[in-house]
Amino acid sequence: MLQQDEYWMEHALRLAATAEQQGDIPVGAVVVCDGKVVGQGFNASIVQNDPSAHAEMVAIRQAAKTLGNYRLIDCTLYVTLEPCPMCAGLLVHSRIKRLVFGANDLRTGCAGSLLNLVRHSGLNHQLEVTSGVLQAQCSEGLSSFFRRRRAAKKALKQKQS
């Protein structure tokens, strides 16, 4: 299972790189069902000026269209960053069977870090969760993006002074 998880997480990392190339936060997601990609996406919130254009949202919308069903009962979502509250709610509502993510998000993660919405007993669906798959690569991609972004903002401020 770990080998398969790493394979699909590498796919999600390539999608994250696409987001970064387009000027967005490098998060990628892929929905897999019966060993096949049925949906994929990367963050586009900044580029599209759409706060809901998270990688998970894009991938799940595509998967639902591909499968012709808003319920993704036997699907697994692979994502490079732990889902936020919005995306965690989407995972519950779409009935994703399994979530696999790389980097924890201590500020907004809702699959165990800040909250555990995807396993909340009060909800009508709980997901299987595997965390930390290719964690170092997932974390480094995000860290380096934000490091460069902070440096660029600092340089701009210094130039304006």
Side-chain angles (χ1 to χ4, degrees), residues 71-110:
R71 300 288 192 216
L72 305 176
I73 295 170
D74 292 320
C75 297
T76 298
L77 174 75
Y78 294 88
V79 63
T80 56
L81 180 64
E82 181 179 1
C84 71
M86 173 182 69
C87 293
L90 175 65
L91 298 177
V92 170
H93 284 295
S94 64
R95 306 295 196 274
I96 289 278
K97 181 178 183 177
R98 185 168 176 250
L99 165 66
V100 179
F101 69 88
N104 291 76
D105 186 344
L106 301 177
R107 293 182 182 189
T108 65
C110 283

Side-chain angles (χ1 to χ4, degrees), residues 1-147:
M1 181 80 81
L2 179 61
Q3 200 170 29
Q4 179 180 325
D5 288 349
E6 288 179 352
Y7 173 83
W8 291 116
M9 190 61 70
E10 286 171 357
H11 185 94
L13 281 163
R14 288 190 294 276
L15 292 165
T18 301
E20 185 169 12
Q21 290 165 2
Q22 294 186 7
D24 225 302
I25 299 168
V27 178
V30 60
V31 179
V32 177
C33 192
D34 295 325
K36 295 179 184 165
V37 174
V38 293
Q40 60 184 8
F42 48 84
N43 269 14
S45 294
I46 295 169
V47 175
Q48 294 181 8
N49 293 313
D50 179 355
S52 72
H54 287 197
E56 303 96 320
M57 189 76 67
V58 174
I60 287 172
R61 285 176 178 154
Q62 190 179 93
K65 284 182 182 175
T66 298
L67 297 174
N69 193 338
Y70 73 107
R71 300 288 192 216
L72 305 176
I73 295 170
D74 292 320
C75 297
T76 298
L77 174 75
Y78 294 88
V79 63
T80 56
L81 180 64
E82 181 179 1
C84 71
M86 173 182 69
C87 293
L90 175 65
L91 298 177
V92 170
H93 284 295
S94 64
R95 306 295 196 274
I96 289 278
K97 181 178 183 177
R98 185 168 176 250
L99 165 66
V100 179
F101 69 88
N104 291 76
D105 186 344
L106 301 177
R107 293 182 182 189
T108 65
C110 283
S113 290
L114 178 67
L115 300 171
N116 201 348
L117 190 61
V118 298
R119 304 273 311 144
H120 194 284
S121 62
L123 297 174
N124 61 350
H125 178 71
Q126 293 82 38
L127 287 70
E128 298 171 27
V129 178
T130 302
S131 62
V133 175
L134 300 183
Q135 182 173 7
Q137 295 94 314
C138 294
S139 295
E140 181 50 37
L142 288 157
S143 294
S144 63
F145 171 82
F146 285 112
R147 237 185 339 268

